[in-house]
Amino acid sequence: MRTVKEVSKITGVSVRTLHYYDAIGLLKPTKVTDAGYRMYDGTALSRLQHILLFRELQFPLKEIKVILDSPNFDPSEAISQQIGLLELQYKHIGELLAFAREIQSKGVTTMDFHVFDKDEIELYKEEALAKWGGTKAYQEYRRKDIAQKEGSDSKTASGLMAIFSELGGLKHLTPDSDVVQKKIRALQKFISDNYYVCTNEILQGLGQMYVDDERFQKNIDRAGGDGTAEFAHQAISVYCS
């Protein structure tokens, strides 16, 4: 157990800030002694590490609290997300440096502003927050993200396309038939096992994307034949209702 002053010394976080984190419920001390001293154990220090990493990534304190307090919070997965975001920021800084050096060497100002685009970083941050907060933003991101995975050459994507191929072979049946509905259940399980937990709400959103997004539709129809995306959409609608 460490006192608040010891924690401040080893982390560089001021005592005043630690008191504030306690006040807002972001980092509670493990215990408070009879004399009123805050004490922190290893678990509290581990939480503080996550707080500091998220702060370095410019997450607001309220969002950090949502993430860390989520019942589904996984420290090891959070570290992987933090590393991924740090790598994106490292890449972004490198591009900015190269851009500035080009201006310096040429002595002219180029009208190329793409290096200032931080959409990829912001999207990754949004994913991290919504992953643990269970927000619709995360679901929407994953719906879009799966389109890229479907078009990849990975073994997992091939397995997903195989399910659509099988669905395509069932188009002679009605979308509400038992055989088709079992295949939709298999699709939902496959997504949950290989991508993320696919609730009925998310599955229904995916079904809509299968017909609204041209990239989805082409990939699915390529796997199962023309009309497979629409057929999957109809079958998913039945399944989720």
Side-chain angles (χ1 to χ4, degrees):
M1 299 282 277
R2 297 180 182 272
T3 66
V4 67
K5 288 185 178 180
E6 290 173 332
V7 172
S8 176
K9 184 176 181 179
I10 63 175
T11 64
V13 179
S14 71
V15 171
R16 184 174 182 178
T17 297
L18 290 170
H19 286 178
Y20 178 66
Y21 286 174
D22 180 11
I24 64 175
L26 179 60
L27 180 68
K28 305 293 290 184
T30 307
K31 73 173 185 178
V32 179
T33 67
D34 294 338
Y37 293 108
R38 294 172 171 84
M39 304 296 293
Y40 299 83
D41 64 3
T43 300
L45 292 178
S46 177
R47 182 178 172 99
L48 179 56
Q49 283 184 331
H50 283 293
I51 292 170
L52 296 179
L53 274 171
F54 279 122
R55 286 298 287 156
E56 285 294 323
L57 298 171
Q58 299 179 356
F59 279 77
L61 293 179
K62 288 183 179 179
E63 293 185 0
I64 297 174
K65 189 175 185 302
V66 168
I67 293 172
L68 298 183
D69 289 346
S70 169
N72 299 318
F73 179 70
D74 182 341
S76 61
E77 189 170 352
I79 285 291
S80 296
Q81 287 180 325
Q82 290 162 347
I83 290 172
L85 186 49
L86 286 167
E87 288 174 342
L88 285 177
Q89 291 188 335
Y90 179 78
K91 174 186 173 185
H92 180 67
I93 291 172
E95 290 172 348
L96 286 174
L97 278 171
F99 180 71
R101 285 168 178 160
E102 182 180 4
I103 293 176
Q104 183 183 49
S105 64
K106 293 181 178 179
V108 295
T109 300
T110 176
M111 298 303 292
D112 181 3
F113 293 94
H114 79 278
V115 294
F116 299 102
D117 186 355
K118 299 179 70 174
D119 284 350
E120 186 178 14
I121 294 175
E122 293 305 315
L123 184 61
Y124 202 103
K125 287 172 66 176
E126 181 181 87
E127 181 197 8
L129 169 66
K131 166 66 175 177
W132 309 117
T135 66
K136 290 183 179 179
Y138 174 70
Q139 296 171 8
E140 182 63 24
Y141 170 80
R142 298 307 294 181
R143 289 171 196 162
K144 294 178 181 178
D145 183 57
I146 195 173
Q148 296 178 339
K149 291 182 170 66
E150 287 174 346
S152 73
D153 296 326
S154 70
K155 183 177 179 180
T156 301
S158 297
L160 184 61
M161 288 298 103
I163 294 177
F164 286 121
S165 176
E166 294 166 359
L167 268 173
L170 300 175
K171 290 199 298 289
H172 62 285
L173 301 174
T174 59
D176 62 349
S177 67
D178 289 342
V179 176
V180 175
Q181 289 299 296
K182 285 181 180 178
K183 189 58 62 179
I184 297 300
R185 187 179 302 114
L187 171 65
Q188 184 181 41
K189 184 177 186 303
F190 186 91
I191 295 172
S192 292
D193 290 345
N194 294 278
Y195 294 97
Y196 48 87
V197 177
C198 184
T199 64
N200 281 6
E201 181 185 2
I202 293 177
L203 182 63
Q204 192 158 20
L206 283 170
Q208 190 62 47
M209 292 287 284
Y210 292 159
V211 292
D212 289 347
D213 189 294
E214 184 178 355
R215 180 170 47 179
F216 272 99
Q217 186 175 356
K218 285 184 176 180
N219 286 340
I220 294 171
D221 284 355
R222 187 182 300 117
D226 290 345
T228 300
E230 176 61 34
F231 182 71
H233 165 62
Q234 294 175 9
I236 288 171
S237 294
V238 173
Y239 180 87
C240 293
S241 64

